[in-house]
Amino acid sequence: MATAIRIEALPARLGDCLLVECERAEGAPWRMLVDGGPSDTWPLLEARLNQLPADSRRIDVAVVTHVDSDHIGGFLPFVESDFARENVRDFWFNGHPHLLDGSRPRSIEQGESLGSVLTGRADGPVLPWNQAFDEHAIVTRDDALVEVTPRGGPRITVLSPNADRLQRLARTWAAVLSRAREKPRDVAEPDRPQPLGDLESLATERSEKDGSPPNGSSIGLLVEHRGASVVLAGDGFGDVLTEGLRAVAADRGLERLPVDAFKLPHHGSRANVFAPLIAVAPAKHYVFSSNGDTFHHPDDVAVARAVVGGPRGATLWFNYRNPRTERWDDDALKDRHGYRVEYPRDDQSGAVLELPSRR
Ligand SMILES: [Zn+2]
């Protein structure tokens, strides 16, 4: 069966760096890069981009989901690269000029370019910015779905952030951005994952909700192409994403929105992956992007919520095989809960999913 959407979760340590390709009947795929991982992901990303066929290197959209070092660290050298200048058609990113004043988006202030906002340098490169949204903020609306259908590409629906989350980011913008540009400090505390217990009780453990303004401002997208679908959730908040997905389902006369794949928010943090989020968009494939550095993601509680609340037969995709993730490759657990696991072929390749076309 032909592939409709190919998703590659590069090994970006604690961060996200996703390459998404929507295959077309003819010619190069429509291509989207989502985040660049922490700064040390750049050599790997650069090598991956250089592997693209010489005659079709175009990246239709490059998305910065939010300003945190594990998402923009590797994106900064990308923005300044010749590759980006030559090949990227549109950058999607909510910068300070986009932060909302009430419900009315402001257009980009004169003289402020994507490159200068991201890098903090006055002479940063001038690049196409949120053009698919008429240069306005990428944000959900209360009165209608926000959808774009780039020519020859997928249908993309914005799930996150909402106007409230963008406004909250505005208050701390300068501090958040300067912190995000720094190299993150790695916490020395080693990860010592415990044996997995009963998944039902793990899944129902209480968790605090994520309260980080940058995470809450994450751009979350539903990408649909030739009958296949994937949710790319950034580090978005569980309740914001749930609301966004519920609105799409309601628009289609559905209570829930079944999808093929779901890149779960915030590297599979228990503070973002809650039962209602799993319930509103049951997925055949759940993707976890993290090697466990610093924050020891994915949390067992979050993975258990996907296993227990998701459809039987679902596959968990980890972009690293390590002591934390390989505990899920347990025959007794897999039999009892009816799930499967997939790991990368090697430590350079990350997780690669190919979603078949249905038309
Ligand atoms: Zn993150």
Side-chain angles (χ1 to χ4, degrees), residues 14-16 66 68 70-71 215 234-235 266-267:
L14 72 170
D16 273 6
H66 67 293
D68 250 345
D70 58 320
H71 298 255
N215 285 354
D235 284 2
H266 200 196
H267 321 286

Side-chain angles (χ1 to χ4, degrees), residues 168-231:
R168 276 168 206 266
L169 179 66
R171 292 179 209 141
T172 50
W173 174 254
V176 163
L177 187 57
S178 81
R179 200 180 57 219
R181 289 191 199 111
E182 287 164 16
K183 203 167 181 288
R185 58 189 172 88
D186 284 309
V187 175
E189 185 80 27
D191 190 6
R192 292 203 186 83
Q194 301 300 307
L196 292 165
D198 171 60
L199 297 193
E200 265 94 6
S201 47
L202 259 181
T204 51
E205 263 185 33
R206 276 185 54 83
S207 325
E208 293 296 320
K209 287 183 183 175
D210 189 352
S212 143
N215 285 354
S217 78
S218 284
I219 295 174
L221 303 171
L222 168 67
V223 177
E224 297 170 286
H225 184 65
R226 294 166 71 183
S229 53
V230 55
V231 176

